[in-house]
Amino acid sequence: MSVHTENSHEVIDEDKRDFIYIATGTVVAAGAAGLAWPLVMQMGKAADTLAAGAIEIDLSKVVEGQQLKMLWRGAPVFVRHRTAAEIAEAESVDVSDLKDPQTDDERLVPNPAGKLEPQYLVMVGVCTHFGCIPVAEQNKVKPQGEFGGWYCPCHGSHYDTSGRIRKGPAPKNLKIPPYEYISDTVIKVG
Amino acid sequence: MSGHPSTYEPKNGFTKWMDQRLPIIRMGADFMTYPSPRNLNYWYTFGGILTLCLVAQIITGIILAMHYTPSVDAAFESVQRIKRDVPFGWLLQPMHAVGASMFFFAVYIHMFRGLYYGSYKAPREMVWILGCVIYLVMMATGFLGYTLPWGQMSFWGATVITGFFGAIPVVGESVQQWLLGGYAVDNATLNRFFSLHYLLPFVIAAIVGLHVWAMHHAGQNNPVGIEPKSKEDTLSFHPYYTAKDFFAICIFLLIFAYFLFYYPDSLGHADNYIEADALETPAHIVPEWYFLPFYAILRAVPSKLLGILLMFAAVAVLFILPWLDTSKVRSMRFRPVTKLWFILFVIACFVLGWHGALSPDDPVMGVKSVWWSRAATLYYFSFFLIILPVMGLIETPKDRPDSITKSVLGEASS
């Protein structure tokens, strides 16, 4: 649409003005978004943090009844050499009653021979509630919880001998990290 | 900024010259002569006390930053070095740490005072909301600062608090790791926390400016909650309230000094003298005392996401308070029934604080701690969402005095 002003030679083309406003606004918005992107992304994980990804653990060094704690990506990984009684308890649980249903076998990874080794339980030792480290020592100062596995001292979550959440505020079972057997006794986490 | 007719008259050549170019002397003079209600009591001195707290925290904080090293390898050592080796570090570091507690102590009294005298009601909603924003930023600043000494409580507090974001459905873990700058709390986290901890106090100072501006524009509330009607009802801020504030500040500083010189560690946690260890969570982690009520609310719910939502709701509800309280009467002095509910509310806040420090399974008077927290949480929300809206409609308030002057001279009950 065109509007003639008092001076009939001067014509204001309003469509052209609208176009200029919208075009300018678009360029400014795109520029602002383009600038905001690096400002936001710099907060994320840096390349060296991402690179420090994998550790190797020799399972044969963990004796029965013992738990090994290794630092992986800034958090501990638990390797528990479970006793026969603990395995039996973990396998006897009725999965349908659980908050986060998983069988004990689903929480293990097969060895090079394609078999599960239920005596070795490998988990990320971080409570799925707010990230504290559950304790497993079987004494009064550090109880292992009502289900014989782990107890989180922060907000009272109880995990069983398979690291599954049984009681308390945590929503999920203790996480199983991505790992594989690189020999009969050594695993690579990450 | 003062919202009252200016009575300032520049006297000499310089002040006249300035007044035409940058009327900053006028602004200061108007501030000092601001007509304040003549009946303000000592509960009204906490604004001044809080200003002092903010200034003290900024000054001591800038000094500490000159000696502090924000790195996971050196942070813990550098704080200990400040306390032991830096000249007067033994004084300045606890002044900042105890100062944070004193700041929250004062802000809680200030907030309860606003609640009691209805200072959030029209036309002061923005004063109240800006105050809530300040409180929110204060909590963020306090949390970030507590991480910096890099003790066990610092580390695990940071882990738990950033874990809140991990509870957001779907994107939670990504958001949490973006905030941390890694898979867990680490060097990247400490560095950004230091940067933000330095920034936020200046944000607070700016919002305090708006808070005071809004208050002067709408006029100060007062213990009887009726507006000043004549010149008789007000007094000049200086010298009347500067003197009153100054006296209150002296008492406040005595309490501050008691903690600073005799019990500098009593408001913190002993475990923060153990350097942060990513492999070992302290047996019993608790936040700083000023977060305990919210911590109790968080733990009162057995669901992770619901607990967090409820905890944030406990702060969010303060923002809409001006529209929840339906009563036209501001001061609780004239609300005989609501006053009792208010007292119960204060008790509920203390109960929450007390149980925030206990383990959920600890028995108190034969009842598990978590049930005390649940009862107090229920009352906390009921007070805002049921009691205040309903009481405003059904309660018969007492007669209010005709004016502030008459109430001061005892011509109506208070």
Side-chain angles (χ1 to χ4, degrees):
Chain A
M1 195 185 91
S2 301
V3 177
H4 288 267
T5 59
E6 284 173 34
N7 182 344
S8 60
H9 297 294
E10 215 179 294
V11 176
I12 296 172
D13 184 340
E14 293 208 344
D15 286 344
K16 196 182 248 176
R17 285 200 167 174
D18 286 348
F19 174 77
I20 291 168
Y21 286 144
I22 292 167
T24 313
T26 309
V27 171
V28 169
L35 190 62
W37 187 248
L39 299 184
V40 170
M41 292 315 284
Q42 55 79 24
M43 294 266 287
K45 293 187 280 279
D48 60 340
T49 309
L50 286 167
I55 53 165
E56 288 178 13
I57 302 171
D58 186 351
L59 297 178
S60 63
K61 287 184 179 159
V62 192
V63 299
E64 187 170 312
Q66 194 187 35
Q67 172 174 300
L68 181 73
K69 248 195 237 181
M70 297 279 282
L71 199 63
W72 175 68
R73 291 183 176 175
V77 163
F78 289 165
V79 180
R80 173 85 161 252
H81 190 150
R82 297 187 290 183
T83 61
E86 286 171 343
I87 297 167
E89 198 183 322
E91 286 174 345
S92 68
V93 172
D94 183 2
V95 175
S96 60
D97 291 344
L98 300 180
K99 200 173 186 177
D100 181 11
Q102 256 186 329
T103 62
D104 193 48
D105 286 355
E106 284 169 355
R107 297 176 57 73
L108 300 170
V109 165
N111 63 12
K115 286 170 81 180
L116 297 175
E117 296 191 40
Q119 67 272 34
Y120 295 116
L121 181 63
V122 181
M123 302 186 298
V124 178
V126 171
C127 181
T128 56
H129 187 224
F130 288 129
C132 295
I133 298 173
V135 290
E137 280 86 343
Q138 304 201 1
N139 58 49
K140 276 193 177 168
V141 185
K142 292 179 175 176
Q144 76 279 27
E146 289 174 21
F147 297 88
W150 288 263
Y151 173 73
C152 181
C154 291
H155 308 100
S157 290
H158 299 256
Y159 297 91
D160 66 13
T161 54
S162 189
R164 290 173 297 205
I165 180 67
R166 298 296 289 274
K167 187 186 169 190
K172 295 268 181 199
N173 300 335
L174 289 176
K175 205 174 147 193
I176 306 298
Y179 73 96
E180 56 181 353
Y181 282 84
I182 54 174
S183 77
D184 286 346
T185 56
V186 178
I187 58 166
K188 187 180 167 196
V189 179
Chain B
M1 222 164 115
S2 52
H4 70 101
S6 184
T7 53
Y8 169 72
E9 298 240 2
K11 299 239 162 41
N12 60 40
F14 172 72
T15 50
K16 281 177 188 159
W17 185 89
M18 262 312 259
D19 204 45
Q20 288 180 336
R21 287 159 181 82
L22 179 69
I24 193 167
I25 305 171
R26 176 179 297 276
M27 197 172 104
D30 291 349
F31 186 93
M32 295 309 277
T33 56
Y34 184 82
S36 313
R38 65 185 283 179
N39 59 338
L40 299 184
N41 57 28
Y42 275 105
W43 298 111
Y44 282 79
T45 58
F46 282 86
I49 289 170
L50 285 161
T51 310
L52 176 83
C53 286
L54 179 61
V55 171
Q57 287 305 92
I58 289 178
I59 293 173
T60 51
I62 289 171
I63 292 167
L64 290 177
M66 293 176 185
H67 302 281
Y68 172 76
T69 314
S71 142
V72 290
D73 299 319
F76 185 80
E77 283 295 314
S78 75
V79 173
Q80 296 310 313
R81 186 180 158 269
I82 291 170
K83 293 173 108 158
R84 291 153 201 268
D85 297 337
V86 172
F88 291 97
W90 61 268
L91 177 69
L92 295 163
Q93 194 280 337
M95 207 182 255
H96 194 73
V98 173
S101 277
M102 301 312 292
F103 204 159
F104 275 96
F105 167 67
V107 91
Y108 282 130
I109 296 180
H110 193 64
M111 289 165 78
F112 279 129
R113 189 271 290 154
L115 210 52
Y116 185 80
Y117 292 121
S119 303
Y120 48 85
K121 290 184 193 180
R124 299 185 181 85
E125 296 96 326
M126 279 313 294
V127 184
W128 176 262
I129 289 171
L130 286 165
C132 292
V133 175
I134 294 169
Y135 175 56
L136 211 58
V137 183
M138 263 179 77
M139 291 202 286
T141 313
F143 157 68
L144 294 169
Y146 197 63
T147 309
L148 303 184
W150 208 242
Q152 274 289 68
M153 281 296 160
S154 300
F155 183 90
W156 290 102
T159 299
V160 170
I161 305 279
T162 54
F164 295 165
F165 296 92
I168 304 168
V170 190
V171 294
E173 197 177 332
S174 309
V175 171
Q176 187 189 355
Q177 295 189 353
W178 175 76
L179 287 169
L180 296 175
Y183 297 103
V185 175
D186 211 331
N187 203 43
T189 318
L190 178 61
N191 273 287
R192 63 190 57 186
F193 278 20
F194 178 56
S195 170
L196 293 172
H197 182 70
Y198 205 115
L199 165 72
L200 292 184
F202 298 98
V203 174
I204 293 176
I207 309 171
V208 166
L210 296 177
H211 185 62
V212 173
W213 183 13
M215 181 191 75
H216 278 184
H217 187 74
Q220 277 172 285
N221 187 31
N222 62 78
V224 293
I226 56 175
E227 299 293 333
K229 289 171 184 150
S230 64
K231 207 165 178 302
E232 277 202 300
D233 287 344
T234 64
L235 292 170
S236 169
F237 177 65
H238 180 72
Y240 296 96
Y241 288 113
T242 44
K244 190 164 187 144
D245 281 358
F246 184 72
F247 180 71
I249 283 171
C250 290
I251 303 290
F252 180 77
L253 288 179
L254 280 177
I255 301 168
F256 194 142
Y258 174 77
F259 280 104
L260 177 58
F261 293 115
Y262 294 96
Y263 298 98
D265 289 323
S266 65
L267 300 166
H269 197 290
D271 276 3
N272 227 24
Y273 277 98
I274 304 168
E275 190 169 1
D277 180 357
L279 289 175
E280 191 78 45
T281 307
H284 182 47
I285 75 164
V286 282
E288 302 90 296
W289 68 266
Y290 40 84
F291 292 143
L292 287 174
F294 298 105
Y295 195 58
I297 292 175
L298 170 77
R299 296 193 302 182
V301 189
S303 151
K304 176 175 169 177
L305 186 60
L306 208 61
I308 295 166
L309 288 176
L310 210 59
M311 187 183 66
F312 280 110
V315 182
V317 74
L318 297 173
F319 282 81
I320 54 165
L321 170 63
W323 295 275
L324 290 174
D325 188 349
T326 51
S327 174
K328 294 273 176 278
V329 180
R330 291 199 188 100
S331 176
M332 294 275 183
R333 280 191 187 176
F334 307 109
R335 304 181 65 188
V337 185
T338 313
K339 185 194 226 167
L340 302 176
W341 292 117
F342 171 81
I343 293 167
L344 206 55
F345 174 76
V346 177
I347 294 170
C349 290
F350 275 97
V351 168
L352 285 171
W354 169 33
H355 287 274
L358 297 176
S359 274
D361 293 336
D362 286 349
V364 174
M365 293 181 220
V367 181
K368 270 189 181 180
S369 171
V370 66
W371 285 102
W372 287 80
S373 302
R374 282 173 187 166
T377 302
L378 188 67
Y379 184 75
Y380 181 97
F381 285 101
S382 304
F383 179 74
F384 289 114
L385 300 175
I386 300 168
I387 294 170
L388 285 180
V390 171
M391 287 313 293
L393 302 176
I394 62 169
E395 183 179 37
T396 309
K398 290 195 221 167
D399 289 339
R400 268 88 65 216
D402 293 333
S403 72
I404 291 173
T405 303
K406 282 190 177 168
S407 82
V408 171
L409 300 177
E411 288 175 29
S413 65
S414 58

